[in-house]
Amino acid sequence: MVEWLTSDEPVPYEDALAFMETRVAAIAAGEAAECVWLLEHPPLYTAGTSARDEDLLDARFPVHRTGRGGEFTYHGPGQRIAYTMLDLRARGRDIRRFVWRLEEWVIRTLWQFNIRGERRQGRVGVWVVRPDRPPQPDGAPAEDKIAAIGVRLRKWVSFHGVSINLEPDLSHYAGIVPCGIAEHGVTSLADLGLTTTMPDLDLALRAEFEETMLAEPGAPHAGGTSPLTIAQ
């Protein structure tokens, strides 16, 4: 059984991290159930283990150095964060498949709103093509990132997770180079013209969770800057 928690008010990052640390230890010890926590944070930046100092352009919000994989990202109101505290010892101990599942979970969730999310070789997260914007210098269609992934494992139990942009203030991303990628932008469901609510997004996430996170996926993660850190 996986316990689902939802916070209605923005949760300070330090409080969220303390909760995850405690829960992961309890899951690893067999003393607590797995958990998915849906929440928002107040405006802040987090830096993963691959973050480069030069990608922090303007520290207009608090910056938290984390143990998760990945680079710099933004969290704030209007963004749904799903922290996944799951026991990979019961899921084959396959890290690549786990990351693939997280990506697939987001992609299937977005499809419920008729948004085609896609993977990109060498880039972490979920992307959408923007035919409404000028093409890239090489003629390829413009692309924006709509969801980020950053995970840490301790004793084969995961924490941190995914974030999906529902309607955050996208100007807040200007303080960083999101995920170290300067040539692409960031988008949200609202930016794509979707009018929906956080409870609607939560329902979609829960509806897609069992099939994509608990069932055997069809392919592993393709690679790129690792969104995952293993902490023993």
Side-chain angles (χ1 to χ4, degrees), residues 1-5 23 33-37:
M1 297 293 294
V2 176
E3 180 182 8
W4 287 78
L5 303 174
R23 186 60 174 257
E34 296 175 301
C35 179
V36 177
W37 186 11

Side-chain angles (χ1 to χ4, degrees), residues 2 15 86 125 134 170-171 189 206:
V2 176
D15 294 351
L86 302 175
L170 295 179
S171 71
L189 275 74
R206 293 196 66 160

Side-chain angles (χ1 to χ4, degrees), residues 44-74:
L44 58 90
Y45 298 127
T46 62
T49 54
S50 300
R52 298 170 295 184
D53 290 342
E54 59 267 29
D55 287 342
L56 179 61
L57 307 177
D58 177 11
R60 63 183 75 174
F61 303 118
V63 178
H64 298 271
R65 301 282 174 173
T66 77
R68 63 159 174 81
E71 303 187 43
F72 277 103
T73 195
Y74 165 77

Side-chain angles (χ1 to χ4, degrees), residues 118-133:
E118 300 176 348
R119 298 176 179 86
R120 286 293 179 266
Q121 179 70 33
R123 288 190 246 144
V124 176
V126 177
W127 301 79
V128 294
V129 175
R130 300 300 303 269
D132 56 316
R133 299 213 174 150

Side-chain angles (χ1 to χ4, degrees), residues 15-202:
D15 294 351
L17 184 60
F19 176 88
M20 287 191 288
E21 294 270 3
T22 300
R23 186 60 174 257
V24 165
I27 294 170
E31 299 170 352
E34 296 175 301
C35 179
V36 177
W37 186 11
L38 304 177
L39 70 149
E40 297 169 83
H41 283 309
L44 58 90
Y45 298 127
T46 62
T49 54
S50 300
R52 298 170 295 184
D53 290 342
E54 59 267 29
D55 287 342
L56 179 61
L57 307 177
D58 177 11
R60 63 183 75 174
F61 303 118
V63 178
H64 298 271
R65 301 282 174 173
T66 77
R68 63 159 174 81
E71 303 187 43
F72 277 103
T73 195
Y74 165 77
H75 295 310
Q79 180 191 78
R80 177 49 90 212
I81 296 171
Y83 283 141
T84 53
M85 289 152 273
L86 302 175
D87 191 347
L88 271 65
R89 294 172 298 183
R91 309 182 191 285
R93 301 182 188 231
D94 191 324
I95 296 171
R96 290 184 181 273
R97 286 190 181 276
F98 177 65
V99 173
W100 188 96
R101 289 178 176 184
L102 290 173
E103 293 172 333
E104 189 71 6
W105 182 31
V106 172
I107 289 169
R108 289 180 179 235
T109 296
L110 293 173
W111 188 242
Q112 289 205 23
F113 302 95
N114 295 316
I115 294 175
R116 183 183 178 87
E118 300 176 348
R119 298 176 179 86
R120 286 293 179 266
Q121 179 70 33
R123 288 190 246 144
V124 176
V126 177
W127 301 79
V128 294
V129 175
R130 300 300 303 269
D132 56 316
R133 299 213 174 150
Q136 301 178 52
D138 62 0
E143 296 179 337
D144 287 339
K145 190 170 190 175
I146 195 168
I149 297 173
V151 182
R152 188 176 186 182
L153 293 184
R154 178 174 292 143
K155 296 182 179 178
W156 289 100
V157 180
S158 71
F159 57 124
H160 300 280
V162 307
S163 60
I164 302 174
N165 288 340
L166 177 65
E167 52 178 357
D169 186 338
L170 295 179
S171 71
H172 290 177
Y173 279 92
I176 58 172
V177 178
C179 300
I181 300 172
E183 61 270 27
H184 299 286
V186 181
T187 190
S188 66
L189 275 74
D191 185 50
L192 295 173
L194 270 293
T195 302
T196 190
T197 66
M198 197 67 80
D200 289 336
L201 181 56
D202 291 347

